[in-house]
Amino acid sequence: MRSGLAESVVAAAFSRVGQRVLHLDRRSYYAANWASFTFNALLTWIQEHHEESQPEEVQDWSSLLEEGEELIYLLNRDSASITNLQVFCYADRCHGFHPIIQASQTEGEEPTTAAGQSQSEPTRKKISFAHLVKEGRRFNIDLVSKLMYSRGSLVDLLIKSNVSRYAEFKNVTRILTYRGGKVEQVPCSRADVFASRQLSVVEKRKLMRFLTSCVEETEEQRAYNGRPYLEFLCDQQLGDNLQHFLLHSIAMVTEDTPTEEGLASTRHFLRSLGRYGNTPFLFPVYGLGEIPQCFCRMCAVFGGIYCLRHSVSCLLLDKDTNRCKAVIDSRGQRISCSHFVVEDGFIGADWKREATPTRFLSRAVLITDRSILPSDSDQQVSMVTVPPIAAGCPAVKMVELCPSTMTCMPGTYLVHLTCQSAGSAYHDLSPVVTRMFRTPESHDQESSPTLLWCLYFNMADGSGLEGEGHDLPNNVYLCSGPDAGLGHEHAVRQAQAIFQKILPDEEFCPPAPNPEDIVYDGENNSSSTPGDGETLEGEKEKEETLEGEVEKEEKVEGEVEKEEKMEGEVEKEE
């Protein structure tokens, strides 16, 4: 239940190997907290979260119990994973939540601008909130911000399963970092290193020597296990410049991260370089919400059944076997099942062996009028690392998307910020936004992009989920929501672990056949492929029929030629 990434991959994997799958989601959209919204749909989603929803009455389904069964109710508050929503609109010099109905500006009115707009750019078209609403369908705004490592587990799975044909992808074109009050490009590939003007010749040689030495683990590196990665970098006689790039933009770890973790992250970065472009990352066109939908599509192709706006109210547990034998949906219908996969937000605290506090991520979504680092191309997709701007502040990962990713309208950029929560999202991220973008609260930011609209919210961090930490029935399995990592390894690993527990002898997400490889049997209209062990008898019969028709045509042509010869002889005699 729920159609997040892990649940969608599990559903596709089971359906592909012939299992019967029923996939439910109480929401009206796919992908749960991995979803993408148009701008107007996002405003509606915000409004729904702001409204105080009355708790639904728990209905008594004990009349559906049979002998030896026990009823276990699921929680019905999936909105608890999103908290502290705050919205700011700067396009019309207004602050606070901006519902669609308040967009009263009519077409033809001259839009106002953010306070302090520079007069040096008279030709730049000003964008109003009404314009954002009018062009709202051009936006695809993700609730979670992640990138795909070119040699990561998700890309490998998309290729192996042939699910990649359901989506399109773009390269992340550059890696940036915020340092000393300005944004700089990080040289990460060999070509970038030698073309960089930020590094001296000596620094270039040191960096290339260090990156080459990181490919294989050495005894010298093992000697630093358990010690801070920054200490290891200092002992390699790397200057502050290189230490900053390696720590924050390549390994993307903190100063006190253990050396073994820092080196593993560096190797993962280096392995992904050059496979599809000059950086290690890919981004799906139309947003990350496309990826769960691609796996849902694969599940449906192989017989999976989907039902949105529908949920499970409770489980029916067999007391003797401690297994879930059926579920009762929100309409009181009893549905038998052999296994049940559910997001951890529906599981009550009484199922946990130890009460652990929920960790959260701080998220911000910005719409700006130009790139954070302008260049000759307006098609840049950028990954930006922002080290802690002060003691006690978290490091921030930023992804800037251009209109060619189909996530924002022309003339704007979509910016995602993510960090571990120390407080509310606004408390954690607004200092970074104020420093790097132009808002009424900013000072001396004339050259920075103007912030048009901003959303802050906290999201539950799914990286702390442990299935063994719950007293669950034997055939009930938990998935978690998005985690704090930049990649998708956590969700793919979860899905694969669940699949192997249930079907240890089956292949996980085997390749789906290509449409041109599917052979249709004329007698029963069922499809089969040579790769699935089916025969080609129907195809052979077609070929034999065609050969017979060709022979008949050849005979007819021969008789026609004989008749023509006879007519020619008759004409000669005449």
Side-chain angles (χ1 to χ4, degrees), residues 566-574:
M566 291 178 64
E567 290 176 357
E569 291 175 357
V570 170
E571 289 177 357
K572 287 180 181 179
E573 291 177 357
E574 291 177 350

Side-chain angles (χ1 to χ4, degrees), residues 275-565:
R275 187 177 189 183
Y276 297 115
N278 211 30
T279 72
F281 303 113
L282 296 174
F283 184 81
V285 178
Y286 298 103
L288 286 165
E290 289 294 298
I291 302 301
Q293 292 188 67
C294 289
F295 283 99
C296 291
R297 193 172 295 123
M298 178 182 175
C299 176
V301 165
F302 287 94
I305 299 173
Y306 279 82
C307 193
L308 300 180
R309 295 181 291 274
H310 204 94
S311 64
V312 171
S313 297
C314 52
L315 310 181
L316 291 177
L317 188 66
D318 189 316
K319 295 180 180 179
D320 296 331
T321 61
N322 192 33
R323 291 177 64 84
C324 173
K325 59 187 299 187
V327 299
I328 297 176
D329 67 5
S330 51
R331 302 174 186 175
Q333 182 179 4
R334 180 185 175 116
I335 304 172
S336 298
C337 65
S338 54
H339 300 277
F340 183 67
V341 180
V342 63
E343 190 183 272
D344 60 333
F346 290 90
I347 301 301
D350 52 341
W351 286 23
K352 295 182 179 181
R353 294 173 185 168
E354 295 182 4
T356 55
T358 303
R359 294 185 297 184
F360 282 89
L361 305 175
S362 291
R363 290 274 294 113
V365 179
L366 320 179
I367 300 176
T368 65
D369 66 341
R370 60 184 183 271
S371 175
I372 196 169
L373 184 63
S375 66
D376 296 336
S377 172
D378 60 352
Q379 303 299 316
Q380 299 281 10
V381 181
S382 307
M383 168 64 200
V384 190
T385 57
V386 184
I389 59 176
C393 294
V396 176
K397 293 185 177 70
M398 180 189 302
V399 177
E400 183 185 68
L401 304 172
C402 64
S404 65
T405 61
M406 312 305 289
T407 58
C408 57
M409 70 181 218
T412 64
Y413 282 78
L414 187 66
V415 183
H416 292 274
L417 291 87
T418 309
C419 71
Q420 289 282 358
S421 293
S424 69
Y426 179 80
H427 175 269
D428 293 337
L429 296 173
S430 61
V432 176
V433 172
T434 304
R435 284 197 182 197
M436 300 182 67
F437 299 92
R438 193 174 173 190
T439 69
E441 294 82 14
S442 302
H443 301 286
D444 300 327
Q445 300 289 343
E446 294 296 323
S447 60
S448 300
T450 300
L451 181 59
L452 304 174
W453 186 88
C454 182
L455 165 67
Y456 296 96
F457 63 94
N458 290 97
M459 172 183 286
D461 181 0
S463 59
L465 175 68
E466 295 181 5
E468 292 75 14
H470 295 75
D471 291 317
L472 299 172
N474 298 333
N475 58 341
V476 174
Y477 307 89
L478 293 185
C479 292
S480 65
D483 65 303
L486 182 63
H488 298 78
E489 277 67 26
H490 181 72
V492 174
R493 188 165 54 246
Q494 262 189 359
Q496 190 166 7
I498 292 172
F499 181 86
Q500 290 175 346
K501 284 180 182 178
I502 298 174
L503 298 175
D505 298 328
E506 293 282 356
E507 182 182 0
F508 179 64
C509 281
N514 294 315
E516 58 268 20
D517 296 334
I518 298 176
V519 177
Y520 293 93
D521 190 343
E523 295 181 0
N524 56 15
N525 292 326
S526 63
S527 63
S528 60
T529 64
D532 291 335
E534 301 289 343
T535 63
L536 295 178
E537 293 178 359
E539 195 68 25
K540 291 179 180 178
E541 291 176 0
K542 291 179 182 178
E543 291 177 0
E544 292 173 356
T545 303
L546 289 172
E547 290 174 358
E549 292 176 354
V550 170
E551 290 177 357
K552 288 180 182 179
E553 290 178 359
E554 290 175 350
K555 289 181 181 179
V556 171
E557 290 176 357
E559 293 176 357
V560 170
E561 289 176 358
K562 288 180 181 179
E563 291 179 359
E564 290 176 350
K565 287 181 180 179

